[in-house]
Each structure stands twice: as structure tokens, then as C-alpha cells.
Amino acid sequence: YSSRDLEYNYGFLPFKKYPLARISENKYIPLDINFILEKISNGIFWIINDGLPREERSQFHTCWGKLFETYFIYFVKEVGLLQKGLFISKPCFDGTNHEVADGILNHGEDLILFECKFTILTQESRYSSSTEELIKEIRTKFERNKSGEWKGYGQLANSIIKLFSSGNKWTCRYIDKKKVKRVFPVLVTYENILNAPFTNYFLNKYFQTLLT
């Protein structure tokens, strides 16, 4: 495995895999609280993933992504947006089965589009010294994949173009395009590295190029 040394030097993989250190027979201390939190969150994903045959992992990833979307909808429901009829889950363009987004908040003049993506970047892109490699991975996972399918903010940009480009006849019964003055795209992810400074700058930079 070509990246083994790179991962062990910079990825803290042994500590992530075993986040507790035993100091006596029945006493343990956490090496890092964040490693423990990661172990009980996306660590569960990797435990299941590694226990499956390779031919079944793609289907599992799809299933896990659906669970992440459901998890997001749960929080939306908890704050009362579903009950008030403000949040619409998975609205489709009229007369089609193509989703506008995973969810929308329609406030008349303000339209918020949500797209959820449970995607984890590769170790190579995370810890490579090449920023180009990291940006390439982000764009593949959150803009457009190698098969040409729109993903993440790419999906959001595609939907905005369909709805609001001049001469475009795409409509959605939940959106009054004549009233909308501002559109806010929101990408919801579970990839911790996207919390790094300037990440939003790069995402917005490439998102804007898709709208021109």
C-alpha cells in the first residue's frame, strides 16, 4: 500500500483506531477526546465497511448516505420547521422525478437549498503536501464525479440554473420564482476536514464558476 508511511506519519491512524490507553488493569485514559468522538461516529462506518466484501461496499455507502439525510431531516423536524410547513424534503421539478435539492426552506423572497453529503475524503488527499490533490478530491466528491454526475454544490448549482436561468422553463410547485430575490445554497457534510480555514472560500469559488 503506497501511502502506508504517509498515513502513519500524519494521519494518527493507530491513535484513531485505539483512542484509549490502558494505565492499569481496569483503568483507561483518552488519548484525544476528538478521536473517541470520531470512533463512535464515522468510526462505525469504517468498521462496517471493512467487514463487508468489496462488491457490497458501494451499496453500503449509498445506504449510509441515506441515513445521513434522514439524520439531517430529524434535526429539522426537532426545531419545528416541518410542522410549520416551511421545510420541504426532497422536492422535485414539476412533472419529473428529478430532485431540486435534499430540502428547501422557502421564505418567499429568500430561498434556501440544502444538499446533504456523507462523503469521506481519502487519506492520500488529506495528508498530501499537494493542495491541488486535495482540491481535486473535494471537487470530485462535492462537485462532479468521474462519471460526470453532479454532486454536492454541483447539484445545487445545477438546480439554481434550471430554476432561474432566463428562458428556462423548469418549475417546482413549492417555489414561486417571481417572488424569490435571494438564493442561499447550503452544503451539509460530515467531513471534518471541511472545517479548516478557507475551505468555504474554495467551495464558493468553484460553485460560482458553475453559475456563469
Side-chain angles (χ1 to χ4, degrees), residues 105-162:
L105 270 176
N106 194 344
H107 291 283
E109 293 186 349
D110 296 327
L111 175 66
I112 306 173
L113 303 181
F114 294 91
E115 195 64 41
C116 299
K117 281 289 171 288
F118 184 92
T119 300
I120 299 176
L121 302 181
T122 63
Q123 295 290 330
E124 289 86 349
S125 64
R126 279 169 171 261
Y127 304 114
S128 171
S129 59
S130 169
T131 56
E132 288 80 7
E133 186 69 25
L134 175 59
I135 293 173
K136 180 182 177 181
E137 175 79 1
I138 290 175
R139 296 186 72 178
T140 300
K141 295 291 180 66
F142 298 106
E143 180 180 315
R144 199 168 192 168
N145 64 18
K146 295 178 181 178
S147 300
E149 183 181 3
W150 293 110
K151 296 289 184 181
Y153 69 83
Q155 290 174 274
L156 292 169
N158 190 44
S159 290
I160 292 172
I161 290 172
K162 284 182 176 180

Side-chain angles (χ1 to χ4, degrees), residues 72 76 81 87-88 100-105 112-116 156 184-188:
F72 169 72
V76 171
L81 294 176
F87 185 86
I88 307 298
V100 177
D102 287 330
I104 64 172
L105 270 176
I112 306 173
L113 303 181
F114 294 91
E115 195 64 41
C116 299
L156 292 169
F184 300 90
V186 178
L187 178 62
V188 182

Side-chain angles (χ1 to χ4, degrees), residues 12-24 26-37 39-40:
F12 302 104
L13 291 187
F15 304 108
K16 288 182 177 181
K17 190 172 183 179
Y18 306 105
L20 296 175
R22 188 171 68 179
I23 58 175
S24 63
N26 295 309
K27 292 184 179 180
Y28 296 82
I29 59 171
L31 299 173
D32 188 299
I33 189 64
N34 291 314
F35 290 165
I36 295 178
L37 294 175
K39 188 70 172 179
I40 62 177

